[in-house]
């Protein structure tokens, strides 16, 4: 339901850091000058062809872009209905779309003359991607990670260390991703003069949601080019999973003005919205302020942020990017949920029909796409962003399927 | 322990009937007349459990504090260092809710306490109550103002308006990098007083003041003067000497938080908190041994 009058085009947002009612800069005063400095530096970088060229080169030469747009014919047959194409972000360097954002921000940090990077990570994917970008840029990196996640994700902790990053376990609060973000913000408040905070999704205070979106829009831009080349038209529906929402915004944003293209975000339904054990922030949360932005979040009636649940660590976050909140509020995109069980089912089906092991996060999008495909005609086209590969999830999947490795 | 207003010199000498911005202003005016600084003390509400805070807040008054800052615990206190984070976790784990903290203030008011009291919390708490609902709840509890660290001058207009409607103060923070026009804007928008964050970083007691702190006070004081509001400085203050040097460099008041919260964490009784405040309050006046 629209909560705000649309002023101008959705693609022109944010205005003054706001996506309709959402977004903003709800941070400690200590960070405000730093955000202003970042916004100005980013504006200059965007206008500098050399910066854009360096980013493009990093994406192609180091990252292996463009990634394929692959028609999953056997998966489509299994789902029944529309043609399903996969945007293969799992094939980019590091195995996930996270790469696009971290390379852009690392280049920006260098351009700003910052000498130290910090990042937060939940399952470790953004931490690993950041560690790669830091190594490739020659900047030291410290990664904040909830102590619970450090314990759960030892492999990724070691990966980050191999790549030269320092991992700092966070013992405060619920000792998970949201607390890692709090701690990264505290570090930034303290060391704001020389430190760049490399945030992992389209969340946080302005200008982060638009910076991360702009670095991720390469996903949607490539989908457009590839769709026109292969099909001579745009897709009917784009589907992507939404935690913070960076791969989904990257997919959706270049199409927001093409109203004939449907946009569907799939949130983590966990054990079912009705159980309360989920991470479907838009579908089951309320408007609120967390980590510097007004958006939807999971909180109790007093406004205390609650813990979320998802089999996929990357979607297990109580907030969502403010641009998604606005796309939902004005009705431009739909947001639905897929449960843990649906995601696991989609993961095994994609393995068996196409020989592709998707990340559990991406499996939520596959589940959503298969559900939609049934309602559509055989000539209709769905593009699913396969945001990452699933090697990291093999232990979780085995456990969920009752297999003892 | 029942609050005993008779033990509070300030509690009984504040003009009756004053509330909100005027009560805050009166505390600074009185201190200026007495040629001393104002001591602001922070404790977490509902720490260690709901209702436990009332005795501790009374201890602040007994120790000679001029203005009380009480925290409503929030799940994600991103401007706070470890001591106050732990206090928030403790209070929430014990079941403290915003209404419990406000009920504690109401008990103090009903017992006759007249010291100005402001609530510190994070934006999602008032946002969830609605800005107007929050301001009304504060007024009804006898609270005079609020400090919301993640609601900077760019985002504070709706809450400032709601607080003003109730006669209460929305107190803004200035930080080390807040300079020039922005500092003027923050000072002019702040109600009650201007709260200067005296060092880079989060809240937390430090053994010595950060080297930049005194310079920051000297830089911010003229902006506060031009805006016609007092300047209080906090973050890292733990000793009477800190208090004295800050007052001497031009602050009208000093905020002490983590050093007191730590006493609650260590399960020290209200008497020890009272004595700690009394020691800090000695720094409000010029050093009697010098000159």
């Amino acid at each position: 339901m629209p909560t705000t009058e649309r002023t101008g085009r959705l693609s022109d947002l944010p205005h003054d850091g706001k996506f309709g009612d959402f977004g903003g800069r709800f941070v400690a005063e200590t960070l405000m000058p730093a955000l202003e400095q970042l916004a100005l530096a980013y504006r200059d970088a965007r206008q500098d062809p050399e910066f854009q060229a360096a980013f493009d080169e990093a994406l192609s030469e180091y990252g292996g872009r463009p990634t394929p747009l692959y028609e999953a014919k056997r998966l489509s047959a299994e789902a029944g209905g529309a043609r399903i194409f996969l945007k293969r972000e799992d094939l980019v360097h590091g195995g996930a779309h996270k790469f696009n954002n971290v390379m852009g921000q690392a280049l920006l940090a260098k351009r700003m003359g910052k000498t130290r990077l910090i990042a937060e990570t939940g399952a470790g994917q953004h931490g690993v991607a950041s560690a790669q970008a830091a190594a490739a840029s020659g900047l030291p990196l410290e990664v904040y990670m909830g102590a619970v996640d450090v314990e759960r994700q030892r492999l990724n902790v070691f990966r980050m260390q191999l790549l030269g990053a320092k991992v700092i376990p966070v013992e405060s609060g619920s000792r998970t991703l949201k607390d890692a973000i709090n701690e990264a913000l505290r570090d930034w408040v303290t060391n704001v003069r020389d430190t760049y905070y490399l945030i992992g999704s389209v969340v946080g205070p302005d200008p982060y949601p638009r910076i991360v979106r702009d670095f991720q829009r390469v996903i949607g831009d490539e989908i457009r080019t590839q769709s026109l080349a292969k099909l001579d038209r745009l897709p009917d529906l784009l589907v992507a999973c939404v935690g913070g929402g960076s791969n989904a915004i990257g997919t959706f944003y270049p199409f927001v003005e093409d109203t004939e293209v449907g946009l569907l975000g799939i949130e983590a339904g966990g054990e079912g919205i009705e159980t309360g054990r989920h991470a479907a922030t838009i579908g089951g949360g309320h408007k609120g302020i967390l980590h510097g932005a007004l958006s939807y979040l999971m909180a109790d009636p007093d406004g205390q942020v609650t813990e979320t649940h998802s089999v996929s660590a990357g979607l297990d976050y109580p907030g969502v990017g403010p641009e998604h909140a606005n796309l939902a509020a004005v009705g431009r995109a739909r947001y639905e949920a897929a449960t843990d069980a649906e995601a696991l089912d989609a993961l095994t089906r994609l393995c068996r029909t196409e020989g592709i092991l998707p990340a559990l996060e991406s499996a939520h999008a596959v589940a959503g796409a298969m559900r939609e495909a049934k309602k559509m005609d055989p000539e209709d086209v769905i593009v699913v962003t396969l945001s990452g590969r699933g090697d990291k999830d093999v232990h979780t999947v085995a456990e969920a399927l009752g297999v003892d490795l | 322990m029942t609050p005993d207003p008779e033990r509070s010199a300030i509690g009984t000498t504040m003009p009756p009937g004053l509330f909100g911005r005027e009560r805050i202003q009166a505390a600074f005016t009185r201190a200026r007349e007495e040629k001393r600084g104002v001591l602001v003390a922070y404790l977490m509400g509902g720490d260690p459990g709901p209702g436990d805070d009332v005795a501790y807040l009374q201890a602040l008054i007994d120790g000679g504090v001029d203005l009380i800052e009480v925290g409503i615990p929030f799940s994600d206190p991103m401007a706070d260092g470890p001591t106050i984070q732990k206090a928030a976790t403790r209070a929430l784990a014990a079941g403290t809710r915003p209404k419990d903290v406000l009920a504690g203030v109401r008990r103090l008011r009903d017992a006759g306490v007249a010291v100005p009291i402001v609530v510190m919390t994070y934006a999602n708490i008032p946002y969830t109550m609605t800005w107007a609902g929050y301001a009304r709840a504060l007024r009804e509890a006898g609270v005079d103002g609020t400090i919301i660290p993640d609601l900077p001058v760019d985002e504070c207009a709706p809450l400032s308006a709601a607080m003003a409607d109730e006669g209460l103060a929305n107190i803004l923070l200035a930080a080390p990098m807040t300079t020039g026009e922005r500092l003027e804007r923050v000072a002019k928008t702040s109600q009650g007083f201007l709260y200067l964050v005296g060092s880079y970083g989060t809240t937390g007691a430090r053994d010595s003041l950060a080297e930049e702190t005194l310079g920051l006070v000297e830089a911010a004081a003229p902006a506060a003067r031009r805006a016609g509001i007092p300047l209080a400085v906090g973050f890292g203050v733990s000793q009477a000497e800190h208090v004295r040097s800050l007052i001497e460099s031009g602050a009208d008041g000093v905020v002490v938080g983590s050093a007191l919260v730590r006493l609650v964490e260590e399960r020290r009784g209200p008497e020890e908190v009272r004595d700690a405040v009394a020691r800090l309050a000695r720094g409000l006046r010029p050093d009697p041994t010098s000159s």
Side-chain angles (χ1 to χ4, degrees), chain B residues 49-207:
Chain B
D52 297 341
D53 47 357
V54 174
Y56 282 106
L57 297 178
Q58 181 62 45
L60 299 179
I61 299 166
D62 297 343
V65 79
D66 297 288
L67 196 154
I68 290 174
E69 192 186 330
V70 60
I72 289 181
F74 179 55
S75 53
D76 295 80
M78 67 180 187
D80 283 305
T83 304
I84 296 180
Q85 283 174 48
K86 275 188 268 175
T89 305
R90 253 190 330 266
L92 289 172
T96 299
R97 301 187 57 190
K99 65 181 174 64
D100 299 320
V101 178
L102 297 181
V105 175
R106 186 69 261 164
R107 276 172 65 191
L108 289 167
R109 291 291 182 231
D110 290 346
V113 165
V115 175
I117 300 176
V118 301
V119 165
M120 186 198 144
T121 190
Y122 287 82
N124 200 45
I125 299 292
Y127 181 80
T128 302
M129 294 170 80
T130 76
W131 305 120
Y134 175 74
R136 193 165 53 244
L138 260 49
R139 168 76 201 273
E140 286 167 0
V143 173
D144 301 296
T146 195
I147 300 167
I148 311 285
D150 57 343
L151 206 58
V153 67
D154 319 68
E155 305 284 359
C156 77
L159 179 63
S160 292
M163 294 294 281
D165 283 348
E166 301 287 344
L168 309 185
N170 184 26
I171 296 147
L172 300 190
L173 296 108
M177 294 204 316
T178 314
T179 53
E181 278 179 32
R182 184 170 177 87
L183 177 59
E184 299 293 327
R185 183 153 77 101
V186 172
K188 283 196 178 72
T189 312
S190 189
Q191 304 160 341
F193 62 90
L194 177 64
Y195 187 151
L196 176 67
V197 175
S199 63
Y200 288 90
T202 53
T203 59
R206 296 166 181 85
D207 289 338

Side-chain angles (χ1 to χ4, degrees), chain A residues 350-393:
Chain A
L350 188 62
C351 282
R352 281 189 278 103
T353 57
E354 301 288 350
I356 296 171
L357 170 59
L360 272 168
E361 293 80 14
S362 320
H364 285 73
V366 174
M370 292 176 73
R371 207 159 60 198
E372 288 297 309
K374 291 188 207 337
K375 303 179 209 162
M376 295 166 71
D377 295 328
E379 62 272 18
D380 289 341
V381 170
I382 299 177
V383 174
V384 188
T385 295
L386 209 68
S387 56
R389 69 178 183 219
D391 309 53
K392 68 184 177 64
D393 293 321

Side-chain angles (χ1 to χ4, degrees), chain A residues 186-215:
Chain A
R186 289 180 189 119
D187 179 313
W188 201 31
V189 165
T190 309
N191 302 298
V192 62
R193 286 164 286 190
D194 65 1
T195 297
Y196 184 95
Y197 177 23
L198 209 167
I199 206 161
S201 190
V202 286
V203 299
D206 177 77
Y208 278 111
R210 57 188 159 103
I211 290 177
V212 178
R213 173 195 71 193
D214 292 349
F215 289 140

Side-chain angles (χ1 to χ4, degrees), chain A residues 41-83:
Chain A
Y42 180 59
R43 192 188 62 189
D44 286 350
R46 269 172 68 101
Q47 290 165 351
D48 179 357
E50 276 183 41
F51 179 81
Q52 195 57 45
F55 180 52
D56 290 345
E57 186 183 330
L59 290 185
S60 60
E61 300 301 309
Y62 182 55
R65 301 204 72 94
T67 59
L69 181 66
Y70 166 74
E71 180 165 13
K73 289 183 180 161
R74 284 170 43 79
L75 180 75
S76 304
E78 173 132 337
R83 297 166 71 181

Side-chain angles (χ1 to χ4, degrees), chain A residues 114-392:
Chain A
K114 301 291 182 182
T115 54
R116 172 176 177 265
L117 300 176
I118 55 170
E120 84 293 339
T121 197
Q125 294 310 103
H126 173 59
V128 170
S130 298
Q132 290 170 338
S137 315
L139 290 171
L141 168 72
E142 291 177 38
V143 181
Y144 288 95
M145 187 170 187
V148 170
D149 293 329
V150 168
E151 198 54 40
R152 285 196 291 212
Q153 304 285 344
R154 290 178 171 211
L155 192 63
N156 271 344
V157 171
F158 183 61
R159 257 185 208 146
M160 286 184 263
Q161 289 164 343
L162 264 182
L163 291 160
K166 185 178 168 197
V167 178
I168 304 171
V170 175
E171 299 284 353
S172 59
S174 59
R175 305 190 299 157
T176 58
L177 175 58
K178 77 178 177 73
D179 309 287
I181 296 178
N182 291 335
E183 209 53 41
L185 285 166
R186 289 180 189 119
D187 179 313
W188 201 31
V189 165
T190 309
N191 302 298
V192 62
R193 286 164 286 190
D194 65 1
T195 297
Y196 184 95
Y197 177 23
L198 209 167
I199 206 161
S201 190
V202 286
V203 299
D206 177 77
Y208 278 111
R210 57 188 159 103
I211 290 177
V212 178
R213 173 195 71 193
D214 292 349
F215 289 140
Q216 290 292 2
R217 66 169 292 168
V218 63
I219 303 171
D221 287 335
E222 286 179 8
I223 291 173
R224 175 182 292 272
T225 306
Q226 292 165 329
S227 182
L228 290 173
K230 279 178 201 282
L231 305 165
D232 204 26
R233 68 181 183 92
L234 299 181
D236 299 291
L237 180 67
L238 303 173
V239 185
C241 63
V242 178
S246 69
N247 91 81
I249 280 293
T251 302
F252 296 171
Y253 178 69
F255 294 92
V256 291
E257 304 300 340
D258 300 297
T259 48
E260 73 275 21
V261 180
L263 309 175
L264 175 63
I266 303 293
E267 298 190 299
E271 294 172 11
I273 306 275
E274 68 287 352
T275 65
R277 287 180 51 77
H278 63 87
T281 314
I282 295 176
H286 309 276
K287 282 170 82 170
I289 298 165
L290 178 67
H291 296 147
L294 173 58
S295 186
Y296 288 102
L297 59 86
M298 306 279 289
D300 75 9
D302 287 336
Q304 309 292 355
V305 181
T306 50
E307 288 184 43
T308 50
H309 169 81
S310 170
V311 67
S312 139
L315 302 181
D316 205 352
Y317 174 64
V320 66
E323 190 161 11
H324 283 295
N326 189 50
L327 290 176
V330 303
R332 175 61 188 98
R334 281 186 295 142
Y335 294 85
E336 294 180 0
T339 61
D340 290 351
E342 288 171 311
L344 283 162
D345 176 61
L347 178 140
T348 52
R349 282 174 188 237
L350 188 62
C351 282
R352 281 189 278 103
T353 57
E354 301 288 350
I356 296 171
L357 170 59
L360 272 168
E361 293 80 14
S362 320
H364 285 73
V366 174
M370 292 176 73
R371 207 159 60 198
E372 288 297 309
K374 291 188 207 337
K375 303 179 209 162
M376 295 166 71
D377 295 328
E379 62 272 18
D380 289 341
V381 170
I382 299 177
V383 174
V384 188
T385 295
L386 209 68
S387 56
R389 69 178 183 219
D391 309 53
K392 68 184 177 64

Side-chain angles (χ1 to χ4, degrees), chain B residues 235-247:
Chain B
F235 283 45
V237 181
S238 68
Q239 291 165 24
E241 302 88 81
H242 302 166
V243 174
R244 180 168 297 121
S245 55
L246 290 167
I247 298 293

